[in-house]
Amino acid sequence: MSILVLANIGNSDLTVDGQSLRRPRSDGEAAWRQRDDHRFAMPIIEPCITWILNHHHQRIDRVVLFYTDQPDTPETTKPDRQGIPLRDKDTVWYAQIIDHLLRERFGDQIGRVDRQIIARIDGASINPSMYDEAFDAYAGLVARLIDPQAETCYVLMTGGIPACNSALQLQAISAFGERCRVLYQPEGGIPYELRIGDQILKTFRRATAIEALERLDFATALPIVRQLGNDALIALVEHAHYRECFDFERAQEALDRAVRQASGDLRTFLAGLQSDLERLIKNPDMGALLRELVANATITFRNGRYADFLGRLFRFQEAALRLIVETCLDIPTDMSKEAKASNLPLYQQRINDDPGLKAWLDGRTIDGTPLRYDMPNIPAMQAMLEYIIDEKSVRPDGQPYLAKDMRGKLTGVKKRLDRITALSQLRNQSIIAHGFAGVSRERLAEACGGNPDSLIDDLKKIVELLGLNSGDSPFDQIGRRAAEHLRHLK
């Protein structure tokens, strides 16, 4: 474990014989050449180094001194209001002197002292007074200093140029996170830590969490929101995360906790989610699950989780077919362990009691092999859908299965479900089935023969044609409300 100290060298960081130098470049060089004739003081850096050593009871492994050394150009030699050229304020000689003083006064309490010119890593110079140029430069300079073994990185708020101080502070906090601590030396006082590091980290985290919530990436947002520490908001994002995982019981527990901990408009919003969730837990109907599945699949697609999306796509196909078979043919399709004993005989009986349907199924083949319909598999249910939308198909009592308008709607449903079937080979070769083939947006486009965004449109259209009013996605509502709440969180 090690300690790293970063300091910008400014015009206030060195005094010579009790005085600040008017021209740090030329006067600093002269003082360095005749250093044995002068008394030097480091009014900001030395107290900070002493404070760090006293608080850690170990040596400082590395000190990096950032200094300015601008090229000789018409712009840098232009005098300021005091008649001093900008270049003559450069701290290149100050860094040389402070390097010498630190080694001399602290000895082996400091392992290494380095001097670093403030410039882009490609060597290009910058105007150190410009915040954006300084920010770009320090991005590269600090990146080269990142050390996983560094226990603490101290940034000294020294007499450096404000733009450089801000850039160093932000880039160090970004690079070292919670290991970065900011030390301030007030004039005439003793050093103390600033909480600016925590404040900036909180701002970074808030921005990252908001961005994740806006794209409905609740898994990414959740650990960040937990760090920000608002109980109601944490519970809300946990609810969304568990709900996206189809773990509705844990989603309910999180929602109950969120309602208890929230107040005002947020509590009202959370209470409104209760009834929606109950439809997925207590006697869940296939319509509610289909709506939930569309909202869920949309999230995976938007976030580029295409293999996950493909799995949800085929789950939707099966669920939609089951809903159609159960509502239009009154044939049970739930063959879960609990229901199979009663539903399978009824499934077979209902087919046998419908001569037209049975003859239709008996006449179907797949690649020359007779269709197996002893269980409600996808090919069997697809064949049943084809049967009921055929104009010639009638019930055993001679009545048509569907009214004309419903036949048209289910024809539209079949067309879109068949597009999903066209993706079967891609699914079968992927990690969600039997292989390791990749699933990307490009591969989806190849398999569906067009823009893969249309697959989401198909799901939403199927829900509409089936008469299942989807409304706003609950995840969209949660993401918007959580992001809004986070923006106003103190």
Short mmCIF file of all heavy atoms in Angstrom, two decimals, residues 2 20 128 172 222 226 228 245 274 302 353 367 434:
data_model
loop_
_atom_site.label_atom_id
_atom_site.label_comp_id
_atom_site.label_asym_id
_atom_site.label_seq_id
_atom_site.Cartn_x
_atom_site.Cartn_y
_atom_site.Cartn_z
N SER A 2 0.47 2.27 -0.73
CA SER A 2 1.32 3.45 -0.86
C SER A 2 0.50 4.73 -0.81
O SER A 2 -0.72 4.71 -0.93
CB SER A 2 2.10 3.39 -2.18
OG SER A 2 1.21 3.39 -3.28
N SER A 20 7.48 36.87 -2.05
CA SER A 20 7.08 36.20 -3.29
C SER A 20 7.81 36.84 -4.45
O SER A 20 8.05 38.06 -4.46
CB SER A 20 5.57 36.33 -3.50
OG SER A 20 4.87 35.68 -2.48
N PRO A 128 -2.74 27.13 -19.81
CA PRO A 128 -3.12 26.57 -18.51
C PRO A 128 -4.23 27.34 -17.81
O PRO A 128 -4.74 26.87 -16.78
CB PRO A 128 -1.81 26.65 -17.70
CG PRO A 128 -1.03 27.73 -18.35
CD PRO A 128 -1.36 27.68 -19.81
N ALA A 172 -8.26 13.45 -10.77
CA ALA A 172 -7.77 12.55 -9.72
C ALA A 172 -8.92 11.84 -9.03
O ALA A 172 -8.84 10.63 -8.74
CB ALA A 172 -6.94 13.34 -8.71
N LEU A 222 -28.87 0.06 -9.75
CA LEU A 222 -29.16 -0.34 -8.37
C LEU A 222 -27.97 -0.16 -7.43
O LEU A 222 -28.12 0.47 -6.37
CB LEU A 222 -29.68 -1.78 -8.34
CG LEU A 222 -30.05 -2.32 -6.97
CD1 LEU A 222 -31.05 -1.41 -6.27
CD2 LEU A 222 -30.61 -3.73 -7.08
N ARG A 226 -27.86 2.54 -4.31
CA ARG A 226 -27.62 2.11 -2.93
C ARG A 226 -26.54 2.95 -2.27
O ARG A 226 -26.61 3.25 -1.08
CB ARG A 226 -27.23 0.63 -2.91
CG ARG A 226 -28.41 -0.32 -3.07
CD ARG A 226 -27.96 -1.75 -3.22
NE ARG A 226 -29.09 -2.69 -3.26
CZ ARG A 226 -29.03 -3.89 -3.81
NH1 ARG A 226 -27.89 -4.31 -4.36
NH2 ARG A 226 -30.09 -4.67 -3.80
N LEU A 228 -25.98 6.06 -2.87
CA LEU A 228 -26.50 7.41 -2.66
C LEU A 228 -27.40 7.48 -1.44
O LEU A 228 -27.68 8.56 -0.93
CB LEU A 228 -27.23 7.90 -3.91
CG LEU A 228 -26.33 8.04 -5.14
CD1 LEU A 228 -27.15 8.37 -6.38
CD2 LEU A 228 -25.26 9.10 -4.92
N CYS A 245 -36.50 -9.26 -13.61
CA CYS A 245 -36.06 -10.67 -13.52
C CYS A 245 -37.23 -11.63 -13.39
O CYS A 245 -37.03 -12.84 -13.20
CB CYS A 245 -35.12 -10.84 -12.32
SG CYS A 245 -33.58 -9.91 -12.42
N GLN A 274 -49.03 -1.16 -7.06
CA GLN A 274 -49.42 -2.35 -6.32
C GLN A 274 -50.42 -3.22 -7.09
O GLN A 274 -50.23 -4.43 -7.23
CB GLN A 274 -50.04 -1.95 -4.96
CG GLN A 274 -49.07 -1.26 -4.01
CD GLN A 274 -48.22 -2.26 -3.23
OE1 GLN A 274 -48.12 -3.43 -3.59
NE2 GLN A 274 -47.60 -1.78 -2.17
N ARG A 302 -33.45 -2.56 -26.18
CA ARG A 302 -32.89 -1.20 -26.14
C ARG A 302 -31.46 -1.19 -25.58
O ARG A 302 -30.63 -0.38 -26.00
CB ARG A 302 -33.76 -0.31 -25.25
CG ARG A 302 -35.09 0.10 -25.85
CD ARG A 302 -35.83 0.98 -24.86
NE ARG A 302 -37.16 1.34 -25.32
CZ ARG A 302 -38.04 1.98 -24.57
NH1 ARG A 302 -37.73 2.32 -23.31
NH2 ARG A 302 -39.24 2.27 -25.03
N ASP A 353 -62.81 -34.25 -29.50
CA ASP A 353 -64.22 -33.87 -29.62
C ASP A 353 -64.48 -32.91 -30.78
O ASP A 353 -65.65 -32.57 -31.05
CB ASP A 353 -64.70 -33.22 -28.31
CG ASP A 353 -64.82 -34.23 -27.18
OD1 ASP A 353 -64.80 -35.44 -27.47
OD2 ASP A 353 -64.91 -33.79 -26.01
N ASP A 367 -41.48 -31.18 -42.37
CA ASP A 367 -40.39 -31.82 -43.11
C ASP A 367 -40.72 -33.29 -43.42
O ASP A 367 -39.88 -34.19 -43.29
CB ASP A 367 -39.07 -31.75 -42.31
CG ASP A 367 -38.60 -30.33 -42.09
OD1 ASP A 367 -38.88 -29.48 -42.95
OD2 ASP A 367 -37.96 -30.07 -41.06
N HIS A 434 -28.72 -24.13 -27.82
CA HIS A 434 -27.82 -25.28 -27.93
C HIS A 434 -26.41 -24.95 -28.40
O HIS A 434 -25.62 -25.88 -28.63
CB HIS A 434 -28.42 -26.32 -28.88
CG HIS A 434 -29.87 -26.60 -28.63
ND1 HIS A 434 -30.32 -27.14 -27.45
CD2 HIS A 434 -30.98 -26.36 -29.39
CE1 HIS A 434 -31.65 -27.24 -27.48
NE2 HIS A 434 -32.07 -26.80 -28.66
#
